[in-house]
Amino acid sequence: MAPTLHRHAPRAPNRSRTIAGRPLVTGPHPLLGPSGAGPRRLPRGISRRSLFRGAGAAGMSALLAACSIPGIGVSGYQPVTDTSATDMTLNWANWPFYIDTPDEEAAAEGEAEPTTLEKFQDETGITVTYTEDVNDNDSYFAKIQPQLTGGQAIAADVFVVTDWMVAKLIRLGFVVELDHSKIPNFANMREDLTQVSYDPGRKYSMTWQSGLGGIAVNPAATGGREITSMDQLLTDPALRGKVTLLTEMRDTVGLVLLDMGFDPANFTDSQFDQAIGKLQDAVDSGQIRRFTGNDYGADLVQGNVAACVGWTGDVVSLQADNPDLQFIIPDAGCTLWSDNFVVPVRSPHKENAEKLINFYYQPEIAAQAEAWINYISPVDGTAEAMEEIDPDILEDPLVFPTEEDLAKAHVFMGLSEEQENRCNRAFAKLTGA
């Protein structure tokens, strides 16, 4: 039986839910305080992951165009002098709604605990300019690429982007190696994240947050069927016309590769083509309703879609409208995506950036951030630290998946420029982008 990661919308405390058929007793919903009365942090309404997934065909077209530009890359790069010791500043670009924020009610009463970023500044004396400039990977790349190609510094000294974009930045020479001797808390990184194919040994990147890609299900629309595999989505006649897939190639194709017995972290061109062929058959048969960004949500909530490829963050948000929605880890496994810290070339504050990364790899700091963000922490010891902050969150399998569930999660392999162009073109043809 596939694990069902099911988090209800805010209702009454002490609800029950199941994961892999096992009952879990939960306390108040993570968006509520211990009494269940009043928000502990700002409700987002839309997952941060959703923001950059809405680009759809336009995003794919932009990606194909960017991959085809000749001459992109740093030529003859010379490291700049690091002024961190004398210039105690740092510019950090991140996604919207992706860090803990002050509790306004507690602040008004003079009882607010400092945020993690405030603690970092107080502890180190480094003044951080924090911006929410990364609305999606492609648009941020388009913003910074001309300057980086020209050997110029960009506005950020450290920024956060997704796995595949990290691979691209490394390939183009746009990011610098991290000095692990100045990030001793690197030892706290979850072992499954330390040897990703796109950055072996994590020379250039360290994870900020992670999440899962799998199957989102509206049980009322499936006719009582238990959904355990991608094959069901692609071939079950009872689901015909009620299935959507994502325009994100790495999640959609990654899940099909797993279903076919292949490894998304190490596949051949032939295996990729077989996965595309299986998807094409489903499209041709009318099984697939459409390919979507995060806009599958309304159809899933209303039951127009019975099952789809989706993300944990979206399902959390959608359960506010339909608390019966579920997130399923297929028997063959699911995809694991991560958003990662990287330092761009020509940043004069690399050591300050390394201090920031090291700070957030302290379990107690990671737990404080996690209590607001609600994605999957990359830091070992976060669960233990969360016992002191909000133990109810530990019972939420979307935020703290079991080791068994994480063992089924796979990272899509890093692609060469040739592979990326080939895969993107095949997928764009499939989706009609």
Side-chain angles (χ1 to χ4, degrees):
M1 178 178 179
T4 302
L5 305 187
H6 191 179
R7 187 166 96 177
H8 288 295
R11 283 192 176 179
N14 300 317
R15 307 170 309 281
S16 66
R17 57 178 177 254
T18 61
I19 176 170
R22 305 186 299 277
L24 292 177
V25 178
T26 70
H29 187 270
L31 285 178
L32 302 179
S35 68
R40 182 181 63 231
R41 55 192 173 277
L42 296 176
R44 296 185 295 277
I46 181 171
S47 74
R48 190 239 25 107
R49 184 73 171 167
S50 301
L51 291 173
F52 72 91
R53 294 305 194 183
M60 179 62 73
S61 298
L63 175 59
L64 289 170
C67 288
S68 303
I69 298 174
I72 283 185
V74 175
S75 177
Y77 168 69
Q78 296 295 322
V80 299
T81 300
D82 195 315
T83 61
S84 294
T86 56
D87 184 5
M88 303 289 281
T89 62
L90 183 69
N91 298 311
W92 178 9
N94 203 352
W95 302 78
F97 312 115
Y98 216 19
I99 196 171
D100 55 309
T101 62
D103 184 323
E104 295 180 4
E105 183 177 336
E109 298 175 358
E111 300 176 352
E113 180 181 6
T115 66
T116 57
L117 196 53
E118 289 170 339
K119 288 181 178 180
F120 173 74
Q121 294 181 112
D122 290 343
E123 180 178 308
T124 64
I126 297 170
T127 299
V128 179
T129 299
Y130 182 89
T131 58
E132 297 182 331
D133 283 351
V134 189
N135 281 315
D136 69 73
N137 288 290
D138 288 330
S139 66
Y140 189 69
F141 177 81
K143 179 178 180 178
I144 64 177
Q145 175 266 315
Q147 293 164 279
L148 294 176
T149 300
Q152 301 171 358
I154 63 171
D157 296 302
V158 61
F159 58 89
V160 175
V161 287
T162 309
D163 301 310
W164 62 269
M165 181 56 73
V166 172
K168 183 172 183 175
L169 294 168
I170 293 171
R171 188 175 72 235
L172 294 173
F174 284 168
V175 291
V176 296
E177 289 193 27
L178 302 174
D179 185 347
H180 287 178
S181 71
K182 296 177 180 176
I183 311 176
N185 289 330
F186 177 81
N188 294 334
M189 179 179 276
R190 286 199 343 252
E191 186 177 356
D192 60 301
L193 293 172
T194 60
Q195 293 296 332
V196 291
S197 62
Y198 60 84
D199 185 13
R202 288 290 185 177
K203 293 181 179 180
Y204 295 89
S205 65
M206 287 180 64
T207 300
W208 168 240
Q209 300 290 319
S210 298
L212 304 177
I215 300 174
V217 175
N218 183 330
T222 62
R225 285 168 173 73
E226 181 183 4
I227 306 297
T228 63
S229 72
M230 282 297 295
D231 186 70
Q232 287 174 272
L233 266 65
L234 301 182
T235 63
D236 187 343
L239 300 178
R240 183 170 293 131
K242 294 185 176 182
V243 173
T244 62
L245 304 177
L246 291 172
T247 54
E248 172 49 52
M249 179 264 290
R250 287 161 178 80
D251 287 304
T252 293
V253 178
L255 289 169
V256 175
L257 285 168
L258 283 167
D259 199 70
M260 299 177 75
F262 303 138
D263 184 358
N266 185 24
F267 58 84
T268 65
D269 288 349
S270 173
Q271 291 168 344
F272 182 86
D273 291 343
Q274 290 177 59
I276 290 291
K278 185 167 185 175
L279 286 163
Q280 188 67 62
D281 289 343
V283 170
D284 293 344
S285 70
Q287 185 77 8
I288 307 305
R289 184 182 183 93
R290 63 189 180 108
F291 288 83
T292 76
N294 67 290
D295 52 325
Y296 61 82
D299 279 337
L300 183 67
V301 167
Q302 295 165 11
N304 299 324
V305 166
C308 62
V309 176
W311 298 289
T312 49
D314 285 346
V315 174
V316 169
S317 298
L318 296 171
Q319 284 171 346
D321 296 316
N322 185 339
D324 294 326
L325 299 183
Q326 299 174 344
F327 182 86
I328 304 291
I329 295 178
D331 288 343
C334 61
T335 57
L336 172 68
W337 55 265
S338 295
D339 293 328
N340 309 273
F341 289 111
V342 290
V343 176
V345 295
R346 301 201 68 79
S347 166
H349 302 117
K350 177 173 176 284
E351 289 190 17
N352 287 345
E354 290 165 339
K355 288 180 181 179
L356 178 83
I357 297 168
N358 190 62
F359 179 82
Y360 276 98
Y361 266 70
Q362 299 175 89
E364 62 275 15
I365 296 301
Q368 181 179 343
E370 196 64 38
W372 198 94
I373 300 170
N374 279 187
Y375 280 92
I376 302 172
S377 173
V379 180
D380 278 336
T382 302
E384 291 77 4
M386 190 65 78
E387 289 278 5
E388 300 297 321
I389 297 175
D390 190 344
D392 291 330
I393 296 181
L394 296 172
E395 299 176 3
D396 190 328
L398 293 180
V399 183
F400 287 95
T402 65
E403 291 299 319
E404 179 185 0
D405 292 337
L406 284 176
K408 290 188 172 185
H410 300 260
V411 177
F412 201 90
M413 77 178 191
L415 302 176
S416 67
E417 182 175 0
E418 180 181 356
Q419 288 173 318
E420 187 170 4
N421 288 337
R422 183 182 188 277
C423 291
N424 284 336
R425 288 193 180 98
F427 192 68
K429 182 179 179 180
L430 172 75
T431 62

